Amino acid sequence: MTRSGFVLSRAELVCDDIPLSAIAAAVGTPLYVYSGATIRARYRALDEAFDGYPHRLHYALKANSTFAVVQLLRQLGSAVDANSIWEVEVARQAGFGAADVVFTGVGKSLHELAQAVPLGLRAINVESPGELERIETLAARFGLVARVAIRVNPDIDAGSHPHISTGLRINKFGVPKDIARDLMTSIGSRPHLKLVAIHVHVGSQITSLAPLRSAAAFLAQLATELDARGLRLEYLDLGGGLGISYDGADVLSARDYVAALVDEVRSTGLPIVIEPGRSVIGPAGVLVGTVIDIKRRAEDSDFAVLDAGMTELMRPALYGAYHRIEPVKAAAGGTRHYELVGPVCESTDVVGRDRMLPTLSVGDLVAIHDAGAYGAAMASNYNRRPLPAEVLVDNGQWRLIRRRQTVDDLLALER
Ligand code: LLP
């Protein structure tokens, strides 16, 4: 392979050497394409950055749980973080054992907990005293000891977009830090519960080290206090959150991120769990769309209407997120100003605002970059649009890993 990932080769975008235009011609658009080489490289970069310090990566399935992606991560040695019993089930079907799964989530229904408790997962990450009681009751009923971690809300500002910051007291996540200590101590005398870890996750797309460092320091301090009270944990779960570069600017490296975590936690001697999602899969995926209409917007600007929009990639509509967009084949000729919009009947369905691009024509393919995380996973059927096809390029070949939905697939649930 010349260069892995999505690069220009002879004026055309390729994924791990395979032209995106060839895949789109075979599968159609809208289409997600993932680079296996990028997934492997990004997973390994995080894993190797621990430099011998005991750790486990629990890939956050919510970022992208397409089955073949999950299977590839298992081959790489990853464990998983599941955010619903259905993600737990996907992980199990992909071959993960109970000890490879941590189960997080601010609202686990009784039905989900009743299924999860007997599995003996590595931990259920508990979000409230009430949830802990429900787990305890179930464990007693099954005659088991449930392995739990307490997710603590450290009241730390992640400095990320407010919609994806989770670590402040005003956010719905975790047990407030002032009541967490007593809750943990109480577990010592509750025979159906075993406290194996404490957990923080302060947000996603975090681009400065400070909040991640503070959260790790907070957890290390708490572990030291618990240890003094005779509560020895198995590991510390520091959550996910490492940001990626959507616009080409420099971001934290895997090495700097992990070094900071290890630095804050080393004195406890406890192994580290992290739950990376975006940093593994984000840059490993593009959404490929076709220009289906061009129309005048202003004297010097056009709308380019794509067959890919908020139903395939919700991030721009939901968070005003920026994704780099470029034509799959660079046309010779001038540039023009575009508003790249999706086909959905919502004014917020804009995938790229105010972009200067090589002149586009109807039928051209465009690639929307860094869409591997929270892209396909958040796609919807609004306007009865079928969920898009997904392709994985790996070991020099591409394969369809999720066929495009059909209207019959949709109606099958209603007949
Ligand atoms: N662990 C927990 C408990 C989480 O809630 C999350 C993400 C992660 C790990 C993984 O975080 P990551 O490494 O991917 O930052 N849809 C939003 C992101 C929502 C993140 C939710 N939690 C977006 O598209 O930006």
Side-chain angles (χ1 to χ4, degrees):
M1 201 184 297
T2 39
R3 269 184 304 158
S4 66
F6 302 92
V7 294
L8 280 172
S9 167
R10 290 183 285 276
E12 146 145 52
L13 261 185
V14 300
C15 172
D16 299 352
D17 273 353
I18 301 197
L20 290 178
S21 60
I23 304 174
V27 178
T29 60
L31 161 72
Y32 275 95
V33 180
Y34 306 109
S35 153
T38 304
I39 298 173
R40 289 169 192 277
R42 296 190 70 89
Y43 178 85
R44 288 199 184 114
L46 273 174
D47 197 32
E48 285 163 10
F50 281 89
D51 218 359
Y53 190 89
H55 69 281
R56 190 101 203 261
L57 305 190
H58 281 252
Y59 168 70
L61 289 171
K62 63 172 76 71
N64 185 318
S65 62
T66 303
F67 203 58
V69 169
V70 180
Q71 285 175 309
L72 173 56
L73 281 153
R74 190 173 85 86
Q75 277 172 28
L76 292 173
S78 187
V80 293
D81 161 33
N83 208 72
S84 68
I85 197 66
W86 303 279
E87 283 188 353
V88 172
E89 188 54 33
V90 167
R92 276 157 52 81
Q93 295 202 20
F96 288 93
D100 300 321
V101 180
V102 295
F103 181 16
T104 327
V106 76
K108 307 178 198 74
S109 70
L110 196 55
H111 165 79
E112 288 174 277
L113 290 174
Q115 285 181 269
V117 167
L119 295 176
L121 303 176
R122 183 166 197 197
I124 301 180
N125 292 344
V126 177
E127 295 263 352
S128 75
E131 182 176 79
L132 189 65
E133 263 174 46
R134 288 187 283 279
I135 294 170
E136 184 178 30
T137 306
L138 287 163
R141 190 183 305 154
F142 292 116
L144 300 166
V145 178
R147 296 169 54 84
V148 294
I150 300 292
R151 175 171 183 180
V152 186
N153 183 318
D155 200 17
I156 288 172
D157 186 355
S160 185
H161 190 286
H163 292 185
I164 54 175
S165 290
T166 52
L168 281 173
R169 212 195 151 82
I170 51 161
N171 299 127
K172 67 182 175 180
F173 300 95
V175 176
K177 60 181 176 180
D178 42 334
I179 63 166
R181 283 176 184 76
D182 286 345
L183 190 67
M184 290 171 195
T185 313
S186 78
I187 294 178
S189 56
R190 296 165 76 170
H192 291 285
L193 298 173
K194 178 172 166 55
L195 181 68
V196 296
I198 45 183
H199 176 219
V200 280
H201 171 78
V202 292
S204 195
Q205 184 55 15
I206 299 175
T207 50
S208 71
L209 219 39
L212 295 161
R213 219 179 230 289
S214 312
F218 168 81
L219 221 57
Q221 170 65 32
L222 195 53
T224 307
E225 282 176 37
L226 292 173
D227 198 56
R229 296 190 201 179
L231 271 168
R232 184 72 188 154
L233 303 172
E234 291 179 12
Y235 63 90
L236 296 178
D237 183 341
L238 300 175
L242 177 60
I244 61 171
S245 178
Y246 284 99
D247 60 3
D250 280 350
V251 285
L252 292 173
S253 69
R255 202 150 267 289
D256 290 348
Y257 162 66
V258 170
L261 301 186
V262 171
D263 187 42
E264 294 297 340
V265 158
R266 193 185 294 277
S267 64
T268 66
L270 290 171
I272 294 176
V273 159
I274 53 170
E275 303 166 345
R278 187 189 322 261
S279 55
V280 173
I281 192 73
V286 297
L287 173 60
V288 182
T290 301
V291 177
I292 53 179
D293 197 13
I294 303 269
K295 60 182 177 185
R296 182 59 65 97
R297 178 171 175 243
E299 192 50 42
D300 54 354
S301 172
D302 287 341
F303 287 108
V305 185
L306 308 180
D307 65 354
M310 66 185 289
T311 36
E312 290 70 36
L313 180 66
M314 212 199 281
R315 303 193 70 261
L318 199 54
Y319 317 112
Y322 174 89
H323 285 259
R324 210 156 45 81
I325 301 177
E326 67 179 318
V328 164
K329 289 186 184 180
T335 55
R336 182 144 177 91
H337 185 267
Y338 292 102
E339 186 93 331
L340 294 120
V341 301
V344 174
C345 55
E346 298 276 344
S347 292
T348 186
D349 186 23
V350 176
V351 288
R353 271 187 207 289
D354 282 332
R355 306 293 173 94
M356 280 305 286
L357 288 179
T359 311
L360 295 171
S361 306
V362 169
D364 285 354
L365 295 170
V366 297
I368 304 166
H369 283 278
D370 304 304
Y374 308 107
M378 290 172 71
S380 86
N381 286 127
Y382 187 38
N383 287 189
R384 286 283 187 181
R385 293 176 55 76
L387 296 181
E390 295 173 62
V391 158
L392 175 65
V393 181
D394 205 19
N395 300 317
Q397 288 180 325
W398 68 268
R399 72 190 162 97
L400 188 65
I401 57 172
R402 192 178 210 279
R403 70 167 168 80
R404 187 179 312 287
Q405 229 176 13
T406 64
V407 75
D408 286 339
D409 291 333
L410 291 173
L411 289 177
L413 303 174
E414 298 164 40
R415 285 198 171 116

